[in-house]
Amino acid sequence: RKEVEQDPGPFNVPEGATVAFNCTYSNSASQSFFWYRQDCRKEPKLLMSVYSSGNEDGRFTAQLNRASQYISLLIRDSKLSDSATYLCVVNEISNSGYALNFGKGTSLLVTP
Amino acid sequence: DAGVTQSPTHLIKTRGQHVTLRCSPISGHKSVSWYQQVLGQGPQFIFQYYEKEERGRGNFPDRFSARQFPNYSSELNVNALLLGDSALYLCASSFAPIATNEKLFFGSGTQLSVL
């Protein structure tokens, strides 16, 4: 069973739309959570950390539900430049130490 | 300031060979982690090193090994290459270990092709 699961998409939305991505994780001992953005053929870059109380950064809102082991990312007023792959990332501890587990990513295409 | 640098950027090897990939973290960062990204998938965690000690290991065979040097740079070694090792290998650095809520900075990666 995949530890971090995301809907791969693609999500095709018009400019100005609101779009939401979901992510589930299997390890209830997971400690910290992130959304990274990856443009085509580029390295991942941190978009935002996800806190238990939920957090917002401009047009982006992240939510965490520990009971359901579920993380979400909401993008409001989508821009063409938001087109990218969004990676859900979970920091877990195991017998081998700490590990960052990435989902496969959700592809977003914002169209004019 | 230089970001995370990785070398080489591209590499072609044949099955059975070994490869060494290199990573220099951002100045002042003490933690380096390695990831394998196959096309269409998310990065998969391979190793983390902090202060020259291994702090985490992903689900990869023993053909994969790594180390961190006193200047915090790191090498990833892969022996007995298989076709399935073809991937983008990403290095990320951070000041603190990934046990904390620390932002990672990724290099541009090394694209390895095994023929």
Side-chain angles (χ1 to χ4, degrees):
Chain A
R1 177 181 167 190
K2 181 72 176 164
E3 294 171 342
V4 179
E5 297 211 33
Q6 295 181 249
D7 180 347
F11 284 62
N12 293 334
V13 303
E15 266 186 297
T18 295
V19 61
F21 304 141
N22 302 320
C23 170
T24 58
Y25 59 96
S26 59
N27 187 342
S28 58
S30 298
Q31 301 197 338
S32 48
F33 311 89
F34 310 89
W35 285 100
Y36 275 74
R37 170 192 169 129
Q38 187 171 26
D39 292 286
C40 188
R41 300 184 185 278
K42 299 283 190 181
E43 70 276 16
K45 292 184 179 178
L46 178 68
L47 179 65
M48 56 197 306
S49 302
V50 187
Y51 302 115
S52 296
S53 55
N55 47 301
E56 189 173 308
D57 183 2
R59 298 181 293 109
F60 299 85
T61 301
Q63 296 279 354
L64 168 64
N65 185 323
R66 284 189 184 271
S68 302
Q69 295 179 201
Y70 170 96
I71 305 156
S72 66
L73 176 68
L74 183 77
I75 305 176
R76 291 181 299 278
D77 188 22
S78 298
K79 310 291 184 192
L80 297 177
S81 57
D82 293 335
S83 298
T85 296
Y86 290 83
L87 298 162
C88 177
V89 186
V90 176
N91 187 353
E92 302 179 351
I93 184 168
S94 68
N95 292 336
S96 307
Y98 286 92
L100 271 187
N101 286 318
F102 285 72
K104 288 187 179 181
T106 298
S107 176
L108 172 65
L109 178 63
V110 181
T111 56
Chain B
D1 284 343
V4 179
T5 57
Q6 291 188 244
S7 62
T9 55
H10 296 82
L11 200 51
I12 299 175
K13 292 285 189 178
T14 56
R15 279 180 299 175
Q17 286 189 311
H18 71 271
V19 67
T20 297
L21 310 180
R22 295 179 175 83
C23 172
S24 292
I26 290 172
S27 178
H29 284 192
K30 300 180 179 181
S31 176
V32 170
S33 49
W34 287 95
Y35 303 82
Q36 180 196 66
Q37 188 171 25
V38 173
L39 194 63
Q41 304 287 318
Q44 272 203 285
F45 173 77
I46 310 176
F47 287 110
Q48 186 209 182
Y49 278 78
Y50 176 71
E51 288 281 17
K52 295 156 285 191
E53 290 187 0
E54 184 182 301
R55 289 294 194 95
R57 174 184 284 255
N59 189 24
F60 279 80
D62 291 343
R63 298 185 296 109
F64 288 77
S65 64
R67 55 180 176 168
Q68 187 177 31
F69 298 99
N71 67 353
Y72 302 109
S73 67
S74 177
E75 283 183 353
L76 176 69
N77 294 284
V78 187
N79 293 325
L81 284 167
L82 303 174
L83 296 179
D85 295 331
S86 296
L88 178 67
Y89 288 85
L90 292 162
C91 169
S93 80
S94 57
F95 179 75
I98 60 174
T100 63
N101 201 26
E102 186 80 3
K103 177 180 179 179
L104 293 184
F105 294 82
F106 282 85
S108 300
T110 294
Q111 184 65 54
L112 172 65
S113 299
V114 182
L115 305 178

